[in-house]
Amino acid sequence: MSLDEAGITGWASADGWEVNHPNGFVDFPEVTRTLQKQIDTDAVINRAKGEGRPAIKVFFVCGSDHAVRCGIPYSSLPTICLSRPGPEFQNLQAILSSRPEASAHFVLVPEEMPDVSSTA
């Protein structure tokens, strides 16, 4: 079922910059940074911030297996990481305990998620 079929509209869409990128696939750090820049320069959003509303922060969301494989805890990419079945969750806990500065931009959700994949 599509978002439109479910009656959910206006909150999610494919980004034209990413969809029409001349290089085809665009990796997640570049997508995240570009979207954050677009939000930071949007006039409507900036007007809302001037009215005391909080700033919007873009986070990359991934599973613990992807985070470990790609070294995301060692980056400054704002990330929400979902626990997945396997040893990666414990690996992430060890990495994060040795890097307390990562807690400023890396959120680890400890509840194990179903064994699903966005790429399967």
Side-chain angles (χ1 to χ4, degrees), residues 92-109:
L92 277 174
Q93 286 180 312
I95 292 167
L96 295 174
S97 67
S98 70
R99 300 190 74 245
E101 69 278 8
S103 66
H105 61 270
F106 193 94
V107 178
L108 183 57
V109 179

Side-chain angles (χ1 to χ4, degrees), residues 33-118:
R33 284 190 298 270
T34 301
L35 181 55
Q36 187 68 63
K37 285 178 189 172
Q38 289 174 346
I39 288 171
D40 290 345
T41 58
D42 184 273
V44 173
I45 293 171
N46 282 319
R47 191 170 35 253
K49 283 193 293 190
E51 296 168 357
R53 298 206 177 142
I56 296 172
K57 184 165 184 166
V58 176
F59 283 82
F60 174 66
V61 179
C62 67
S64 53
D65 54 336
H66 184 81
V68 169
R69 185 173 52 253
C70 295
I72 295 171
Y74 297 104
S75 75
S76 60
L77 182 69
T79 303
I80 297 173
C81 182
L82 307 174
S83 177
R84 297 281 308 273
E88 291 85 2
F89 181 74
Q90 287 78 20
N91 293 345
L92 277 174
Q93 286 180 312
I95 292 167
L96 295 174
S97 67
S98 70
R99 300 190 74 245
E101 69 278 8
S103 66
H105 61 270
F106 193 94
V107 178
L108 183 57
V109 179
E111 294 83 23
E112 190 170 295
M113 304 301 288
D115 191 13
V116 297
S117 173
S118 63

Side-chain angles (χ1 to χ4, degrees), residues 15 17-18 26-36 58:
D15 179 59
W17 173 84
E18 183 179 1
V26 185
D27 209 357
F28 56 90
E30 186 177 357
V31 171
T32 303
R33 284 190 298 270
T34 301
L35 181 55
Q36 187 68 63
V58 176

